[in-house]
């Protein structure tokens, strides 16, 4: 996914899982990025739960979460039209 | 060897052909149904150029049918169904599909047992996400299913699409996959002269679409009007039955059954194209869902039976 603005993944249902690890990977140059995992009671309204930074000098960061209920998403901020990023978001789930 | 087979009681709600190849109840996981992605085999892991963004279809999920106001539905039987969803990225139905505006689930199989008939059956439901007021039925453009088949001579895609709503107006009619006459590769690829896809392949996103809901890749099922159940609110889902049977010996449709209504499609062929390299004996069943507006919509599949004869 190429991003040039604040970006959020779609609401993802993972109520069957007890733990999740999000990996955000970049391909090519990118600015400093902030990665936040958010949880939700309904897939519509969101609360920030965990976060990490992915500096321009690195290309991979992980954000683990547990006890998240049913809904998850990742919000990535820091990309702009002047400094875009190409990101690959993985989620590993176990339950 | 004499065999005695004992069938799962869940098969009672299906009418499989003689040999059940897969029976997938998503209470036990994804059962090999996965997102549909393009071939990332070019430089920098790019895929072939296309007017349609094939890389951003929304992800499949195991869903408990959780609704904003109505608690969790679970599935038809059990807790989880396979949920296909879309991004909130609809655009006019005469345009190529917007990035993320569809969700697909594919199971990658091959031909086994030299069948003459193949059949998919599913119990499913659909609804938009409950993120705004209103009934929501008109925001679901379409749901569909197709087989991607290749035999030693031809690749072809027999499939069906339920056109639920276009431009906010309910349509509620069935189509089947077949390319209309005189459709050029450029037409098919939305103006790209050397487009990768040939007419008859990937009808769900290629081929021009017209104001009345007709399209290069779809024909209307004769008498295909059907008022499928949508239960008045985005947070109420009811389970529906679908069956599509295809004669792979004749390369013809046999029947589409939707609930108790059976549409006879005998004598009708999907569009045949020369086989692609190294995918001989391929049989991939694929479900999809499309949004008609800037709202995510969902297709829930409780269980699927793929059978042959």
């Amino acid at each position: 996914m190429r991003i040039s603005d604040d970006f959020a993944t779609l609401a993802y249902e993972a109520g069957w899982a007890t733990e999740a690890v999000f990996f955000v990977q970049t391909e090519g140059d990118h600015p400093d990025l902030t990665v936040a995992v958010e949880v939700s009671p309904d897939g519509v309204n969101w609360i920030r739960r965990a976060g990490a930074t992915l500096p321009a000098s690195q290309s991979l960061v992980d954000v683990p979460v547990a006890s998240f209920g049913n809904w998850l998403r990742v919000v990535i901020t820091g990309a702009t039209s002047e400094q875009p990023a190409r990101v690959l978001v993985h989620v590993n789930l176990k339950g | 060897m004499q065999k005695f087979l004992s069938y799962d009681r869940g098969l009672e709600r299906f009418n499989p052909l003689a040999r059940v190849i897969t029976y997938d109840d998503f209470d036990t996981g994804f059962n090999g149904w996965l997102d549909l992605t393009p071939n990332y085999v070019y430089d920098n892991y790019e895929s072939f150029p296309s007017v349609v963004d094939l890389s951003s279809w929304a992800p499949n999920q195991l869903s408990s049918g959780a609704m904003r106001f109505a608690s969790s539905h679970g599935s038809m039987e059990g807790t989880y169904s396979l949920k296909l969803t879309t991004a909130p990225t609809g655009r006019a139905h005469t345009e190529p599909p917007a990035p993320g505006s569809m969700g697909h689930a594919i199971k990658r199989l091959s031909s086994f047992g030299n069948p003459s008939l193949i059949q998919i059956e599913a119990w499913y439901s659909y609804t938009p996400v409950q993120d705004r007021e209103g009934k929501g039925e008109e925001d679901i453009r379409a749901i569909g299913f197709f087989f991607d088949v290749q035999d030693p001579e031809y690749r072809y895609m027999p499939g069906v699409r339920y056109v639920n709503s276009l431009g906010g107006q309910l349509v509620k009619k069935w189509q089947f996959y077949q390319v209309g006459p005189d459709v050029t590769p450029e037409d098919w690829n939305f103006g790209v002269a050397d487009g990768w896809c040939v007419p008859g392949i990937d009808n769900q996103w290629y081929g021009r679409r017209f104001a009345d809901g007709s399209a290069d890749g779809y024909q209307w099922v004769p008498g295909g009007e059907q008022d499928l159940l949508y239960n008045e609110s985005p947070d109420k889902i009811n389970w529906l039955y679908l069956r599509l049977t295809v004669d792979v010996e004749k390369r013809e449709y046999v029947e589409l059954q939707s609930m108790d209504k059976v549409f006879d499609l005998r004598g009708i062929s999907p569009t045949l194209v020369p086989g692609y390299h190294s995918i001989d004996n391929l049989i991939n069943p694929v479900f999809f869902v499309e949004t008609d507006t800037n709202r995510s919509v969902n297709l829930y599949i409780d269980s699927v039976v793929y059978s042959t004869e």
Side-chain angles (χ1 to χ4, degrees), chain B residues 114-134:
Chain B
N114 194 26
S116 57
L117 297 174
I118 60 174
Q119 177 174 281
I120 202 79
E121 295 171 271
W123 283 91
Y124 68 95
S125 189
Y126 53 85
T127 185
V129 66
Q130 198 167 12
D131 63 351
R132 64 194 72 177
E133 296 171 352

Side-chain angles (χ1 to χ4, degrees), chain B residues 211-233:
Chain B
D212 66 351
S214 61
D216 285 339
Y218 294 106
Q219 310 301 319
W220 297 106
V221 171
E225 300 82 9
Q226 187 174 31
D227 187 12
L228 279 183
L229 193 165
Y230 175 86
N231 196 347
E232 300 183 315
S233 163

Side-chain angles (χ1 to χ4, degrees), chain A residues 2 12-13 42 45 86, chain B residues 44 46 61 63 68 83:
Chain A
R2 286 187 173 79
Y12 193 85
E13 269 200 76
D42 52 16
N45 299 287
R86 189 186 191 201
Chain B
N44 296 316
E46 298 286 351
Q61 297 150 61
S63 174
R68 194 172 179 190
K83 182 172 82 173

Side-chain angles (χ1 to χ4, degrees), chain A residues 37-41 45-50 73:
Chain A
V37 172
E38 296 188 341
V39 297
S40 168
N45 299 287
W46 297 93
I47 302 169
R48 194 146 292 194
R49 171 62 69 78
R73 74 173 185 180

